[in-house]
Amino acid sequence: MTEKKVVVVSTGGTIAMKHDPEAGGAVPAVTGVELVNAVPPLGDVCPLEVVEFSNIPSPHMTPSLMGKLSKKVDDILAEQDVAGLVITHGTDTLEETAYLLDLTLTSDKPVCLTAAMRHADGISPDGGKNILCAVQTAATEEAAGKGVLVVMNEEIHAAREVTKTHSGNVKTFASPFWGPVGYVDEGRVIFRRESLYREKVRPASLVEEVYLVKMAAGSDDLLLNHLAEKKVKGIVIEGFGRGNVPLSSIPGIKAALKARIPVVLTTRVLGGRVLDVYGYEGGAKHLKELGVIMGGEISGQKARIKLMLILGLTSDPEEIQTYFDKL
Ligand code: ASP
């Protein structure tokens, strides 16, 4: 047991919800203090403090709120008597918050996000065990310097790699093609590997006007043209496979580039990077030659968060490219 405390910052999500007969479904109902008090074994791990940041479903989380959370977390971690920090969050946008924090936090102290798939008054809710494992991880010295971690279902995942993979099952968070970095076994926090690639993007403020466009067979350029006309600040495209798009979408991509909007290419598949291996029209090579930025191997939703942060530093496409497609 560490002498220093772990701070639990509650933001909302199913973990803090109960069934409301009037609303006909689960709604925010539980405070951070109530969440912690409902898990007595937490008292044996380390001293705890609870900070109520918000109580929202995570579909209501916004990048600017994530930015505020990042500042709050850094302030808390700067305190001498704080060993680490746990954030309770909804699962829907958890990976985006985790990734934004991973890119922006200055502290190396452990930060673990956790959540629940079953609401607090459902049958066998998973929130209690998840908070316990997250606090145990955050209180462990070995968890420092590993970037932001996601602790769910007794597994520990790296923010850069993790994604929600199932809409209802408690085993929803996975790091496809990588696997968890470790696990928690009856209080023992065991790391088996590390997510090696570490990077930071720390603007004074982020630029929220960045849009994610997903490609499907035959997608045209209606949405892209609209975004180009609106002169939005950035576009992330989720293409097929290696980063290829339908012919009918290309005029819209050209319109966006002509409007000097940075366009970042990612892939809609779960693993691997976009790469200029195809020479046909609409292949990533063609798009790269047009001036599209290669997004590397992160998902569309994470590339969007990253582009919002980068745009707080630069809007030059060549400079933006240096932040993407790294190792
Ligand atoms: N819709 C919920 C949320 O993200 C789902 C969850 O927390 O599991 O807030």
Side-chain angles (χ1 to χ4, degrees), residues 12-15 17 56-60 89-94 115-118 164 167:
T14 297
I15 194 167
M17 291 189 196
I56 55 171
S58 79
H60 298 187
H89 199 286
T91 57
D92 289 347
T93 61
L94 183 146
M117 290 297 285
R118 297 178 182 148
K164 183 174 177 178
S167 63

PDB file of all heavy atoms in Angstrom, residues 12-15 17 56-60 89-94 115-118 164 167, ligand 1:
ATOM      1  N   GLY A  12     -18.567  10.641 -15.336  1.00  0.00           N
ATOM      2  CA  GLY A  12     -19.892  10.140 -15.730  1.00  0.00           C
ATOM      3  C   GLY A  12     -19.798   8.800 -16.423  1.00  0.00           C
ATOM      4  O   GLY A  12     -18.874   8.032 -16.172  1.00  0.00           O
ATOM      5  N   GLY A  13     -20.755   8.506 -17.302  1.00  0.00           N
ATOM      6  CA  GLY A  13     -20.791   7.220 -17.992  1.00  0.00           C
ATOM      7  C   GLY A  13     -21.701   6.228 -17.294  1.00  0.00           C
ATOM      8  O   GLY A  13     -22.240   6.498 -16.210  1.00  0.00           O
ATOM      9  N   THR A  14     -21.860   5.069 -17.889  1.00  0.00           N
ATOM     10  CA  THR A  14     -22.735   4.021 -17.356  1.00  0.00           C
ATOM     11  C   THR A  14     -22.346   3.613 -15.942  1.00  0.00           C
ATOM     12  O   THR A  14     -23.198   3.257 -15.126  1.00  0.00           O
ATOM     13  CB  THR A  14     -22.692   2.787 -18.296  1.00  0.00           C
ATOM     14  OG1 THR A  14     -23.204   3.189 -19.562  1.00  0.00           O
ATOM     15  CG2 THR A  14     -23.522   1.636 -17.778  1.00  0.00           C
ATOM     16  N   ILE A  15     -21.056   3.687 -15.655  1.00  0.00           N
ATOM     17  CA  ILE A  15     -20.568   3.336 -14.319  1.00  0.00           C
ATOM     18  C   ILE A  15     -21.277   4.171 -13.250  1.00  0.00           C
ATOM     19  O   ILE A  15     -21.458   3.731 -12.124  1.00  0.00           O
ATOM     20  CB  ILE A  15     -19.023   3.512 -14.265  1.00  0.00           C
ATOM     21  CG1 ILE A  15     -18.425   2.843 -13.039  1.00  0.00           C
ATOM     22  CG2 ILE A  15     -18.603   4.982 -14.344  1.00  0.00           C
ATOM     23  CD1 ILE A  15     -16.910   2.701 -13.095  1.00  0.00           C
ATOM     24  N   MET A  17     -24.433   5.434 -13.658  1.00  0.00           N
ATOM     25  CA  MET A  17     -25.855   5.530 -14.032  1.00  0.00           C
ATOM     26  C   MET A  17     -26.703   4.505 -13.290  1.00  0.00           C
ATOM     27  O   MET A  17     -26.209   3.464 -12.861  1.00  0.00           O
ATOM     28  CB  MET A  17     -26.019   5.309 -15.539  1.00  0.00           C
ATOM     29  CG  MET A  17     -25.452   6.436 -16.388  1.00  0.00           C
ATOM     30  SD  MET A  17     -25.914   6.231 -18.117  1.00  0.00           S
ATOM     31  CE  MET A  17     -24.747   7.349 -18.883  1.00  0.00           C
ATOM     32  N   ILE A  56     -21.694  13.138 -16.915  1.00  0.00           N
ATOM     33  CA  ILE A  56     -22.333  13.126 -18.235  1.00  0.00           C
ATOM     34  C   ILE A  56     -22.167  11.754 -18.905  1.00  0.00           C
ATOM     35  O   ILE A  56     -21.196  11.054 -18.649  1.00  0.00           O
ATOM     36  CB  ILE A  56     -21.711  14.208 -19.163  1.00  0.00           C
ATOM     37  CG1 ILE A  56     -20.185  14.044 -19.255  1.00  0.00           C
ATOM     38  CG2 ILE A  56     -22.092  15.609 -18.706  1.00  0.00           C
ATOM     39  CD1 ILE A  56     -19.526  14.925 -20.300  1.00  0.00           C
ATOM     40  N   PRO A  57     -23.127  11.408 -19.750  1.00  0.00           N
ATOM     41  CA  PRO A  57     -22.892  10.235 -20.602  1.00  0.00           C
ATOM     42  C   PRO A  57     -21.737  10.587 -21.540  1.00  0.00           C
ATOM     43  O   PRO A  57     -21.645  11.749 -21.976  1.00  0.00           O
ATOM     44  CB  PRO A  57     -24.191  10.097 -21.403  1.00  0.00           C
ATOM     45  CG  PRO A  57     -25.155  11.090 -20.852  1.00  0.00           C
ATOM     46  CD  PRO A  57     -24.394  12.107 -20.084  1.00  0.00           C
ATOM     47  N   SER A  58     -20.884   9.633 -21.856  1.00  0.00           N
ATOM     48  CA  SER A  58     -19.699  10.036 -22.626  1.00  0.00           C
ATOM     49  C   SER A  58     -19.987  10.467 -24.068  1.00  0.00           C
ATOM     50  O   SER A  58     -19.156  11.148 -24.663  1.00  0.00           O
ATOM     51  CB  SER A  58     -18.601   8.982 -22.542  1.00  0.00           C
ATOM     52  OG  SER A  58     -18.832   7.908 -23.403  1.00  0.00           O
ATOM     53  N   PRO A  59     -21.155  10.134 -24.663  1.00  0.00           N
ATOM     54  CA  PRO A  59     -21.458  10.771 -25.956  1.00  0.00           C
ATOM     55  C   PRO A  59     -21.576  12.292 -25.825  1.00  0.00           C
ATOM     56  O   PRO A  59     -21.541  13.006 -26.831  1.00  0.00           O
ATOM     57  CB  PRO A  59     -22.791  10.136 -26.369  1.00  0.00           C
ATOM     58  CG  PRO A  59     -22.774   8.800 -25.710  1.00  0.00           C
ATOM     59  CD  PRO A  59     -22.104   9.045 -24.371  1.00  0.00           C
ATOM     60  N   HIS A  60     -21.752  12.797 -24.605  1.00  0.00           N
ATOM     61  CA  HIS A  60     -21.810  14.252 -24.407  1.00  0.00           C
ATOM     62  C   HIS A  60     -20.427  14.851 -24.151  1.00  0.00           C
ATOM     63  O   HIS A  60     -20.296  16.069 -24.021  1.00  0.00           O
ATOM     64  CB  HIS A  60     -22.726  14.600 -23.226  1.00  0.00           C
ATOM     65  CG  HIS A  60     -24.155  14.178 -23.417  1.00  0.00           C
ATOM     66  ND1 HIS A  60     -25.167  14.517 -22.558  1.00  0.00           N
ATOM     67  CD2 HIS A  60     -24.751  13.420 -24.385  1.00  0.00           C
ATOM     68  CE1 HIS A  60     -26.315  13.996 -22.970  1.00  0.00           C
ATOM     69  NE2 HIS A  60     -26.083  13.322 -24.078  1.00  0.00           N
ATOM     70  N   HIS A  89     -15.299   7.114 -16.567  1.00  0.00           N
ATOM     71  CA  HIS A  89     -15.739   7.715 -17.834  1.00  0.00           C
ATOM     72  C   HIS A  89     -16.739   6.774 -18.493  1.00  0.00           C
ATOM     73  O   HIS A  89     -16.745   5.576 -18.213  1.00  0.00           O
ATOM     74  CB  HIS A  89     -14.479   7.851 -18.718  1.00  0.00           C
ATOM     75  CG  HIS A  89     -14.564   8.815 -19.856  1.00  0.00           C
ATOM     76  ND1 HIS A  89     -15.290   8.562 -21.003  1.00  0.00           N
ATOM     77  CD2 HIS A  89     -13.987  10.022 -20.041  1.00  0.00           C
ATOM     78  CE1 HIS A  89     -15.154   9.589 -21.835  1.00  0.00           C
ATOM     79  NE2 HIS A  89     -14.370  10.497 -21.273  1.00  0.00           N
ATOM     80  N   GLY A  90     -17.536   7.259 -19.398  1.00  0.00           N
ATOM     81  CA  GLY A  90     -18.365   6.375 -20.223  1.00  0.00           C
ATOM     82  C   GLY A  90     -17.494   5.652 -21.238  1.00  0.00           C
ATOM     83  O   GLY A  90     -16.442   6.155 -21.644  1.00  0.00           O
ATOM     84  N   THR A  91     -17.937   4.461 -21.629  1.00  0.00           N
ATOM     85  CA  THR A  91     -17.100   3.675 -22.547  1.00  0.00           C
ATOM     86  C   THR A  91     -17.132   4.194 -23.989  1.00  0.00           C
ATOM     87  O   THR A  91     -16.211   3.963 -24.752  1.00  0.00           O
ATOM     88  CB  THR A  91     -17.547   2.194 -22.567  1.00  0.00           C
ATOM     89  OG1 THR A  91     -18.930   2.144 -22.931  1.00  0.00           O
ATOM     90  CG2 THR A  91     -17.326   1.520 -21.234  1.00  0.00           C
ATOM     91  N   ASP A  92     -18.229   4.893 -24.353  1.00  0.00           N
ATOM     92  CA  ASP A  92     -18.413   5.243 -25.773  1.00  0.00           C
ATOM     93  C   ASP A  92     -17.278   6.093 -26.343  1.00  0.00           C
ATOM     94  O   ASP A  92     -16.838   5.870 -27.471  1.00  0.00           O
ATOM     95  CB  ASP A  92     -19.747   5.986 -25.970  1.00  0.00           C
ATOM     96  CG  ASP A  92     -20.947   5.065 -25.807  1.00  0.00           C
ATOM     97  OD1 ASP A  92     -20.762   3.833 -25.786  1.00  0.00           O
ATOM     98  OD2 ASP A  92     -22.078   5.580 -25.705  1.00  0.00           O
ATOM     99  N   THR A  93     -16.848   7.099 -25.601  1.00  0.00           N
ATOM    100  CA  THR A  93     -15.783   7.984 -26.116  1.00  0.00           C
ATOM    101  C   THR A  93     -14.517   7.896 -25.264  1.00  0.00           C
ATOM    102  O   THR A  93     -13.634   8.743 -25.378  1.00  0.00           O
ATOM    103  CB  THR A  93     -16.256   9.460 -26.170  1.00  0.00           C
ATOM    104  OG1 THR A  93     -16.598   9.882 -24.844  1.00  0.00           O
ATOM    105  CG2 THR A  93     -17.445   9.637 -27.097  1.00  0.00           C
ATOM    106  N   LEU A  94     -14.459   6.863 -24.435  1.00  0.00           N
ATOM    107  CA  LEU A  94     -13.326   6.731 -23.508  1.00  0.00           C
ATOM    108  C   LEU A  94     -11.984   6.721 -24.249  1.00  0.00           C
ATOM    109  O   LEU A  94     -11.013   7.354 -23.827  1.00  0.00           O
ATOM    110  CB  LEU A  94     -13.511   5.465 -22.677  1.00  0.00           C
ATOM    111  CG  LEU A  94     -12.476   5.177 -21.603  1.00  0.00           C
ATOM    112  CD1 LEU A  94     -13.128   4.499 -20.403  1.00  0.00           C
ATOM    113  CD2 LEU A  94     -11.345   4.307 -22.108  1.00  0.00           C
ATOM    114  N   ALA A 115     -14.259   2.341 -16.562  1.00  0.00           N
ATOM    115  CA  ALA A 115     -15.660   2.557 -16.918  1.00  0.00           C
ATOM    116  C   ALA A 115     -16.453   1.315 -16.537  1.00  0.00           C
ATOM    117  O   ALA A 115     -15.944   0.446 -15.817  1.00  0.00           O
ATOM    118  CB  ALA A 115     -15.754   2.806 -18.422  1.00  0.00           C
ATOM    119  N   ALA A 116     -17.679   1.237 -17.021  1.00  0.00           N
ATOM    120  CA  ALA A 116     -18.471   0.025 -16.826  1.00  0.00           C
ATOM    121  C   ALA A 116     -19.392  -0.146 -18.018  1.00  0.00           C
ATOM    122  O   ALA A 116     -19.791   0.838 -18.654  1.00  0.00           O
ATOM    123  CB  ALA A 116     -19.293   0.112 -15.547  1.00  0.00           C
ATOM    124  N   MET A 117     -19.706  -1.381 -18.309  1.00  0.00           N
ATOM    125  CA  MET A 117     -20.678  -1.657 -19.372  1.00  0.00           C
ATOM    126  C   MET A 117     -22.073  -1.842 -18.779  1.00  0.00           C
ATOM    127  O   MET A 117     -23.070  -1.710 -19.468  1.00  0.00           O
ATOM    128  CB  MET A 117     -20.272  -2.909 -20.149  1.00  0.00           C
ATOM    129  CG  MET A 117     -19.036  -2.716 -21.007  1.00  0.00           C
ATOM    130  SD  MET A 117     -19.289  -1.480 -22.304  1.00  0.00           S
ATOM    131  CE  MET A 117     -20.303  -2.416 -23.456  1.00  0.00           C
ATOM    132  N   ARG A 118     -22.112  -2.184 -17.474  1.00  0.00           N
ATOM    133  CA  ARG A 118     -23.419  -2.390 -16.817  1.00  0.00           C
ATOM    134  C   ARG A 118     -23.629  -1.286 -15.800  1.00  0.00           C
ATOM    135  O   ARG A 118     -22.730  -0.981 -15.009  1.00  0.00           O
ATOM    136  CB  ARG A 118     -23.436  -3.750 -16.125  1.00  0.00           C
ATOM    137  CG  ARG A 118     -23.294  -4.893 -17.107  1.00  0.00           C
ATOM    138  CD  ARG A 118     -23.268  -6.217 -16.378  1.00  0.00           C
ATOM    139  NE  ARG A 118     -23.077  -7.296 -17.323  1.00  0.00           N
ATOM    140  CZ  ARG A 118     -22.433  -8.427 -17.050  1.00  0.00           C
ATOM    141  NH1 ARG A 118     -21.928  -8.615 -15.842  1.00  0.00           N
ATOM    142  NH2 ARG A 118     -22.301  -9.363 -17.967  1.00  0.00           N
ATOM    143  N   LYS A 164     -12.936   0.421 -28.271  1.00  0.00           N
ATOM    144  CA  LYS A 164     -14.135  -0.297 -27.831  1.00  0.00           C
ATOM    145  C   LYS A 164     -14.570  -1.214 -28.973  1.00  0.00           C
ATOM    146  O   LYS A 164     -14.746  -0.756 -30.102  1.00  0.00           O
ATOM    147  CB  LYS A 164     -15.245   0.707 -27.475  1.00  0.00           C
ATOM    148  CG  LYS A 164     -16.510   0.063 -26.927  1.00  0.00           C
ATOM    149  CD  LYS A 164     -17.544   1.087 -26.456  1.00  0.00           C
ATOM    150  CE  LYS A 164     -18.806   0.385 -25.981  1.00  0.00           C
ATOM    151  NZ  LYS A 164     -19.838   1.291 -25.471  1.00  0.00           N
ATOM    152  N   SER A 167     -20.608  -3.541 -28.366  1.00  0.00           N
ATOM    153  CA  SER A 167     -21.542  -2.528 -27.863  1.00  0.00           C
ATOM    154  C   SER A 167     -22.163  -2.913 -26.522  1.00  0.00           C
ATOM    155  O   SER A 167     -22.683  -2.042 -25.816  1.00  0.00           O
ATOM    156  CB  SER A 167     -22.651  -2.267 -28.888  1.00  0.00           C
ATOM    157  OG  SER A 167     -23.402  -3.456 -29.059  1.00  0.00           O
TER     158      SER A 167
HETATM  159  N1  ASP B   1     -23.329   5.287 -23.249  1.00  0.00           N
HETATM  160  C1  ASP B   1     -22.455   5.077 -22.131  1.00  0.00           C
HETATM  161  C2  ASP B   1     -21.428   6.182 -22.047  1.00  0.00           C
HETATM  162  O1  ASP B   1     -20.468   6.134 -22.783  1.00  0.00           O
HETATM  163  C3  ASP B   1     -21.798   3.776 -22.274  1.00  0.00           C
HETATM  164  C4  ASP B   1     -20.918   3.400 -21.143  1.00  0.00           C
HETATM  165  O2  ASP B   1     -20.523   4.173 -20.303  1.00  0.00           O
HETATM  166  O3  ASP B   1     -20.594   2.216 -21.093  1.00  0.00           O
HETATM  167  O4  ASP B   1     -21.595   7.080 -21.255  1.00  0.00           O
END
